[in-house]
Amino acid sequence: MQWRSIVVGLVVLRLSLSCVLWLAFGLGPKVSLGFNFPLSFSLHKLDSLFKDEKGTDPVGNSWSQRIPGHRHEEAATTYAKVGEESPKRSSYLSFFDGNKDEYVRKYSSFPDALKAKMKDMAKEMFYFGYDNYMKYAFPEDELNPIDCEGRGPDVLNPSNININDVLGNYSLTLIDTLDTLLVLGNVTEFHKAVKLVIDTVSFDKDSTVQVFEANIRILGGLISSHILLTDPKHPFGKVGFDDYDNELLHLAHDLAVRLLPAFENTSTGIPYPRVNLKTGVPPDSINETCTAGAGSLLVEFGILSRLIGDSTFEWVARRAVRALWNLRSNETGLLGNVVNIQTGQWVGKQSGLGAGMDSFYEYLLKSYILFGENEDHRMFQAAYESIQNHMRRGRESCNEGEGDPPLYVNVNMFSGEIMNTWIDSLQAFFPGLQVLNGDVDNAICLHAFYYAIWKRFGALPERYNWQLQAPDVLFYPLRPELAESTYLLYQATKNPFYLHVGMDILQSLEKNTKVRCGYATLHHVVDKSKEDRMESFFLSETCKYLYLLFDEDNPLHKSDNKYIFTTEGHVVPVDKRFREKQWNDFPCEEGVLAELEPNNRPPPSNASNCNRIPEERRYTLPLKSVYMRQIDHMVGLF
């Protein structure tokens, strides 16, 4: 009997040792122990066992470990080689493929009743912010939602550009929100708001504002609402009123004239970043501006020119775009993010898709869609090719193959080398732009990365360090970019996955940002502390895109006419009126463009890239479970 006890003891010891090794290194069979969740283990320990078997990763497949000049912490890298079919034990696939039905179960359907509930939730979110702005803040520019007070320019501290660049003492939130009222079907309130703007708003103010912000928020809001009031083919029913006499267009023209001094007395044609609405460019104005700020004026200025028959506004905006384009690197084709408007020298040599760069690319494509100018299309396609060649890292294909998921990193405009290891929340707009360009597969992958960050924090930190898997800049000011890309991807794919994303965004906003009189900026995405500010784009864009995502029957979706959204989310029709000019073509500076090759003609500028996903893919995940699980791991979700 003694020897039997010894044998049993040895067997138990061996089993115990095997279990310890299995738990420590993640080895052994997949076991669920009867539960509906998998046991998860340390991927980095697992990976260390297979380092010798992996060999050298192809250049560009693994951005998580290729950072010149940085020492990499093991926990910040994936070392992943992921493929759809990989029988080798040394692949991460066996881990990421575990319990893959988890994603299918969660995201593959979205009931109509839940869609209606989310639509109502988005509408209530908008009106809670809007009604409180009108009650406590109007006619000031913004609502302080915690203290239930209005906010205007910081007149005691003119150097506070975080406030003064945006707030000009011109009822910003009301103007920025006008067309959202129509999108929500509230014609009565739209009429009331338009009349308030006509009766109370003046731009004859001693306010120094940023040209870019005044253009996209105020000029764009006025132009969009004017077009919707007067467009005979508008989709929102009878929205005009008898005594409207183009007052919004006159206000837009007045504002644009006050912004024109920014384009004077610059050696390059690139505008100053700020103007005083009464006196012009301030005497102490700096000679530096960002690429997006100077190069994202063409949509609003171009529409205004074509509405009133005055080429001045489009000409100055187009001259600025051409000037920036001519300063791009001869080696990479990339632009920097900050330029001296007098010397044309790049002060900021970082090239990326976020702050300082984002809407420059956006408006090249949207200008082509609106105006049909081949010049805009050629610039956009050349810029997009440079972005793909020098900023994009990761595996070649979004939805197959091995390596890290595609990611667009910040690089040196001249060398293409990585400059830092963070991305910012503004870059989340780019999947939406990729949809407009027809590159839906790449849009799916980049969007999934930002959604994973949102799932982790319940918001997008202003900057996220992909090497450290942690925020670099912690605040979230209710930005719309992820909601925008989610909406556009749903329009392109009709995949219910994106309805789930929208629901997550809505519920996070409701849980983490709602306060007494509105929705507040998150000061810290981890501890969810708040700042007393609700920027106008929350109502103009964030709520609008979330509402449209769930409103399948919205007139915008049922209209026979096509529409696009400006970078501030304002609705403008793709209309032949904007393809017609009452002036000769602008002279094109030497070196801006080559002649179009006969076999390389641009596509029709009014073509739609929606419904490009094959029918059979609409009822599966847009991104395979294995890759979704990989991305979730790379942002620290497990």
Side-chain angles (χ1 to χ4, degrees):
M1 296 297 292
Q2 186 175 10
W3 66 268
R4 288 182 181 177
S5 299
I6 294 172
V7 170
V8 171
L10 289 173
V11 170
V12 171
L13 180 62
R14 176 160 184 172
L15 287 173
S16 300
L17 181 60
S18 297
C19 186
V20 169
L21 289 171
W22 188 69
L23 289 171
F25 297 107
L27 304 177
K30 296 175 184 176
V31 177
S32 66
L33 301 179
F35 297 100
N36 292 324
F37 56 85
L39 295 176
S40 60
F41 312 104
S42 169
L43 291 179
H44 304 296
K45 293 177 182 178
L46 178 66
D47 178 78
S48 66
L49 298 178
F50 302 133
K51 277 184 181 177
D52 294 337
E53 299 179 32
K54 290 185 175 182
T56 304
D57 193 16
V59 174
N61 267 19
S62 181
W63 45 260
S64 62
Q65 58 183 321
R66 294 180 178 276
I67 308 140
H70 286 75
R71 185 173 181 84
H72 313 307
E73 297 296 333
E74 185 180 22
T77 59
T78 304
Y79 304 98
K81 278 194 167 188
V82 180
E84 181 181 358
E85 297 177 1
S86 179
K88 295 183 180 180
R89 182 68 181 212
S90 59
S91 175
Y92 257 156
L93 182 60
S94 60
F95 178 85
F96 291 124
D97 208 26
N99 200 23
K100 62 184 177 183
D101 291 341
E102 165 195 355
Y103 291 89
V104 176
R105 283 195 302 269
K106 180 174 181 180
Y107 295 118
S108 60
S109 65
F110 202 91
D112 287 343
L114 186 57
K115 190 186 299 183
K117 181 179 179 181
M118 291 301 105
K119 172 185 167 183
D120 289 343
M121 186 175 178
K123 177 184 283 189
E124 290 169 7
M125 179 175 287
F126 170 82
Y127 280 116
F128 186 68
Y130 175 81
D131 290 345
N132 279 306
Y133 165 76
M134 296 303 296
K135 180 178 181 179
Y136 295 110
F138 177 81
E140 295 192 72
D141 288 309
E142 287 180 352
L143 169 68
N144 289 349
I146 296 175
D147 289 340
C148 301
E149 295 176 347
R151 179 197 292 264
D154 187 351
V155 294
L156 299 179
N157 183 13
S159 64
N160 184 5
I161 60 175
N162 181 49
I163 297 297
N164 293 333
D165 272 0
V166 179
L167 309 189
N169 196 19
Y170 38 33
S171 301
L172 168 64
T173 295
L174 182 62
I175 294 175
D176 208 4
T177 305
L178 288 174
D179 67 324
T180 309
L181 292 167
L182 277 186
V183 168
L184 270 63
N186 195 339
V187 177
T188 301
E189 185 64 26
F190 173 71
H191 285 166
K192 177 182 175 183
V194 167
K195 291 174 181 177
L196 274 175
V197 170
I198 292 171
D199 293 340
T200 65
V201 172
S202 167
F203 299 119
D204 190 25
K205 301 286 177 65
D206 185 20
S207 299
T208 298
V209 296
Q210 192 184 80
V211 175
F212 169 76
E213 295 290 358
N215 172 65
I216 65 170
R217 301 201 199 197
I218 300 292
L219 188 64
L222 293 169
I223 289 174
S224 171
S225 298
H226 166 76
I227 293 171
L228 294 173
L229 274 168
T230 58
D231 184 359
K233 300 184 294 295
H234 59 72
F236 298 110
K238 182 175 173 55
V239 301
F241 50 89
D242 293 338
D243 56 345
Y244 178 69
D245 191 24
N246 299 326
E247 288 93 343
L248 297 185
L249 183 62
H250 297 322
L251 279 170
H253 185 200
D254 177 48
L255 174 61
V257 169
R258 294 172 187 273
L259 298 179
L260 280 180
F263 297 87
E264 300 170 1
N265 302 315
T266 77
S267 303
T268 60
I270 301 171
Y272 285 92
R274 297 174 183 86
V275 296
N276 182 285
L277 296 178
K278 264 186 178 292
T279 61
V281 176
D284 59 349
S285 181
I286 61 173
N287 288 325
E288 296 172 4
T289 191
C290 69
T291 302
S296 304
L297 308 171
L298 186 51
V299 165
E300 290 83 2
F301 273 43
I303 293 174
L304 179 62
S305 278
R306 295 177 191 230
L307 284 174
I308 66 176
D310 182 349
S311 66
T312 303
F313 305 100
E314 182 174 346
W315 183 79
V316 295
R318 191 169 291 280
R319 181 181 63 172
V321 172
R322 290 172 175 173
L324 288 165
W325 186 250
N326 280 332
L327 296 175
R328 69 194 187 282
S329 167
N330 292 328
E331 297 296 324
T332 65
L334 298 173
L335 293 83
N337 59 344
V338 180
V339 68
N340 186 298
I341 66 172
Q342 302 297 352
T343 66
Q345 296 296 309
W346 290 105
V347 180
K349 299 176 179 61
Q350 176 178 297
S351 194
L353 299 177
M357 302 286 298
D358 49 354
S359 52
F360 175 79
Y361 303 117
E362 179 184 1
Y363 269 22
L364 290 179
L365 181 57
K366 289 184 177 179
S367 294
Y368 172 64
I369 293 171
L370 277 172
F371 307 131
E373 300 284 354
N374 291 338
E375 170 186 7
D376 300 328
H377 179 263
R378 285 294 301 273
M379 284 190 286
F380 175 78
Q381 291 301 331
Y384 195 75
E385 182 178 354
S386 295
I387 289 167
Q388 295 296 101
N389 288 340
H390 299 286
M391 295 184 203
R392 190 184 186 277
R393 300 293 194 274
R395 60 179 175 269
E396 182 176 351
S397 175
C398 169
N399 228 357
E400 61 185 29
E402 298 186 347
D404 288 343
L407 186 70
Y408 295 83
V409 299
N410 299 318
V411 301
N412 183 289
M413 65 172 289
F414 296 110
S415 67
E417 294 181 354
I418 296 177
M419 289 190 70
N420 49 57
T421 59
W422 54 260
I423 53 177
D424 67 40
S425 63
L426 288 167
Q427 191 192 110
F429 94 98
F430 198 65
L433 188 63
Q434 290 180 306
V435 169
L436 293 183
N437 192 42
D439 191 359
V440 178
D441 276 344
N442 269 315
I444 286 169
C445 243
L446 184 59
H447 174 274
F449 197 90
Y450 273 96
Y451 174 46
I453 300 172
W454 184 282
K455 284 192 293 183
R456 181 176 172 192
F457 299 105
L460 284 185
E462 191 70 353
R463 285 184 184 176
Y464 175 79
N465 191 308
W466 45 260
Q467 183 190 10
L468 301 178
Q469 296 184 354
D472 271 357
V473 179
L474 289 153
F475 70 89
Y476 168 66
L478 309 174
R479 290 199 188 279
E481 283 75 17
L482 182 61
E484 174 188 5
S485 289
T486 302
Y487 164 69
L488 290 170
L489 271 164
Y490 181 68
Q491 290 302 307
T493 67
K494 296 301 179 182
N495 195 299
F497 170 80
Y498 296 106
L499 298 176
H500 284 277
V501 176
M503 181 171 67
D504 280 356
I505 294 172
L506 267 173
Q507 291 175 339
S508 296
L509 289 170
E510 192 72 14
K511 176 183 177 182
N512 299 325
T513 70
K514 189 173 185 179
V515 293
R516 187 156 61 109
C517 292
Y519 295 84
T521 292
L522 286 182
H523 177 73
H524 196 296
V525 297
V526 178
D527 67 23
K528 304 300 187 290
S529 57
K530 299 170 181 64
E531 297 179 15
D532 196 8
R533 187 175 187 187
M534 186 179 80
E535 293 223 37
S536 65
F537 53 63
F538 175 70
L539 300 179
S540 173
E541 299 183 78
T542 308
C543 292
K544 179 185 292 169
Y545 288 126
L546 290 170
Y547 180 81
L548 284 171
L549 175 64
F550 296 105
D551 187 15
E552 297 274 7
D553 296 324
N554 193 275
L556 277 180
H557 300 148
K558 298 295 185 180
S559 174
D560 293 332
N561 301 304
K562 295 182 175 66
Y563 293 81
I564 66 167
F565 298 91
T566 70
T567 196
E568 186 70 10
H570 295 129
V571 179
V572 292
V574 180
D575 194 304
K576 66 179 182 180
R577 288 181 296 166
F578 304 141
R579 314 277 176 96
E580 299 168 355
K581 298 175 293 193
Q582 301 174 32
W583 55 83
N584 295 325
D585 284 343
F586 302 116
C588 188
E589 297 176 21
E590 186 177 355
V592 173
L593 296 170
E595 291 296 321
L596 287 169
E597 298 292 336
N599 61 348
N600 191 30
R601 305 299 298 182
S605 57
N606 62 346
S608 172
N609 284 320
C610 289
N611 304 316
R612 294 175 65 95
I613 296 296
E615 187 74 19
E616 61 271 15
R617 281 187 57 191
R618 293 191 183 181
Y619 303 101
T620 60
L621 292 172
L623 188 63
K624 294 173 184 175
S625 293
V626 60
Y627 297 125
M628 284 194 178
R629 194 166 174 81
Q630 180 199 26
I631 290 173
D632 283 354
H633 167 67
M634 296 186 79
V635 302
L637 278 170
F638 66 88

